[in-house]
Amino acid sequence: KLLLPSLPGDYVLRWFSEYDRRPMFEQKIKLTPQTVKIKAPKTAKIGSTIDISWEAHARSEARIVLFSEENNETDDVIKPIQLTNTKGKSEAKITLPKKAGKYVLRFLNESDFFVAAEHNIELVEF
């Protein structure tokens, strides 16, 4: 088994001699982008439980995590709200925070936390 990078592009696989570490063989490989979709409501009531689902490769291992949009990539500490592991599943029920606002669900690859998909959701008081 070989763990491949999450970023699409052109790569080279190289096999090296165990004896002197010289390259023995190489093979070019092209990695195509992942196709991942998160299905969830666009708005939901604070503190409610909702159904989410996702479409991804069957062997894909990731975490679907909810982030407040108040946290951005420049924050010193991005505070995720851990939700669910995708291994062997394609749907889950999640309980939402009790704070209204704009949030984003992210499909983060388990190996390198690459964001393969996002879904915006606004939590409101009904």
Side-chain angles (χ1 to χ4, degrees), residues 9-68:
D10 295 318
Y11 294 86
V12 177
L13 295 172
R14 289 191 178 103
W15 285 262
F16 293 90
S17 165
E18 193 172 317
Y19 173 70
D20 60 6
R21 304 296 298 156
R22 293 171 55 125
M24 296 174 58
F25 178 77
E26 72 177 36
Q27 176 69 46
K28 292 181 180 182
I29 182 172
K30 182 175 189 78
L31 301 181
T32 57
Q34 298 181 67
T35 303
V36 177
K37 293 180 184 176
I38 300 172
K39 296 179 182 178
K42 295 211 178 271
T43 59
K45 182 180 175 188
I46 59 171
S48 65
T49 299
I50 62 169
D51 293 321
I52 64 169
S53 62
W54 51 91
E55 293 176 12
H57 190 277
R59 292 185 311 217
S60 175
E61 290 187 28
R63 293 194 186 276
I64 296 184
V65 181
L66 183 68
F67 289 88
S68 168

